[in-house]
Amino acid sequence: MKILIADDHGLFRLGLRAILEQKLDHLTILEADSTPQALTQLQRNKDIELALLDLNMPGNEGLSFVFTVLEQYPKVKVCVISANEDPAVVGALMDKGAKGYIPKSSATEVVTSAVQILLAGGQYFPAELISQQRLDKHISKLTPRQLDVLRAMAEGHANKQIAENLHISVGTVKTHITAIFDELSATNRTQAINAARQLGLII
């Protein structure tokens, strides 16, 4: 799989590259130190799966660079990795379709886990950077019963066990899980649980 790291600080790119190459297998990592170079890399490498983009680089005007990438390369998973931890910025990126936001203050393990979630098709947004309004929006879309199923999934219970504990059929459990996956943009239990934890829906 191919990842693009776009950041104008060479030491940061080097450190992030070392972390990813140490923890993840079968990676091809491309680098860019400016927005024009990042766009050139994306144009030349149509198979880039994930773009890790800094917000403040030469040639960048606010969020316009990230928005341009989201618009021109919809198949690329876009994640901002930045020292800016303004919830309003995170919210704007979520609205435009970014798949993640990793603060540069994050621990190595958090960065690695976030990248794994993104590559697996999930999303990563630190709960503390998501406004209460957005959190309420996610909660309101899940019914109380779906939240019960979600918590049971996080505890490692199988569908049959969840059905017995909640006094519902296995078929109903599967229906709830499908709805949970749709709401959290997940394709499997692990992705759903990770996304729910990042949103603060479960502990």
Side-chain angles (χ1 to χ4, degrees), residues 130-145:
I130 300 175
S131 69
Q132 187 61 44
Q133 182 180 6
R134 290 177 181 278
L135 183 58
D136 291 343
K137 180 180 178 182
H138 276 278
I139 292 176
S140 66
K141 287 186 177 180
L142 292 175
T143 67
R145 181 58 81 195

Side-chain angles (χ1 to χ4, degrees), residues 5-157:
I5 299 174
D7 194 290
D8 60 329
H9 292 94
L11 285 177
F12 179 80
R13 293 198 311 274
L14 182 64
L16 181 57
R17 180 181 191 128
I19 291 170
L20 297 179
E21 289 180 337
Q22 181 181 7
K23 298 292 184 178
L24 304 175
D25 297 325
H26 310 299
L27 285 186
T28 298
I29 297 179
L30 305 174
E31 298 184 24
D33 61 8
S34 66
T35 57
Q37 191 176 73
L39 291 172
T40 297
Q41 291 280 34
L42 287 163
Q43 185 177 9
R44 291 178 177 174
N45 298 273
K46 303 298 185 181
D47 55 346
I48 289 176
E49 292 190 34
L50 173 64
L52 300 173
L53 310 177
D54 188 16
L55 280 181
N56 300 302
M57 291 192 299
N60 187 10
E61 298 178 1
L63 295 171
S64 61
F65 164 57
V66 180
F67 291 167
T68 296
V69 175
L70 288 167
E71 181 179 347
Q72 295 184 1
Y73 302 95
K75 293 183 179 181
V76 177
K77 302 177 182 72
V78 174
C79 175
V80 168
I81 183 162
S82 173
N84 185 329
E85 299 186 18
D86 184 348
V89 172
V90 178
L93 289 164
M94 291 178 74
D95 289 342
K96 286 292 186 177
K99 297 301 184 183
Y101 197 96
I102 306 174
K104 284 188 175 180
S105 59
S106 302
T108 298
E109 295 77 12
V110 172
V111 175
T112 304
S113 177
V115 170
Q116 289 175 321
I117 291 171
L118 292 162
L119 288 174
Q123 300 184 34
Y124 179 86
F125 292 96
E128 64 271 18
L129 297 185
I130 300 175
S131 69
Q132 187 61 44
Q133 182 180 6
R134 290 177 181 278
L135 183 58
D136 291 343
K137 180 180 178 182
H138 276 278
I139 292 176
S140 66
K141 287 186 177 180
L142 292 175
T143 67
R145 181 58 81 195
Q146 288 166 357
L147 287 171
D148 290 338
V149 172
L150 181 59
R151 294 186 191 99
M153 288 166 52
E155 293 171 0
H157 296 167

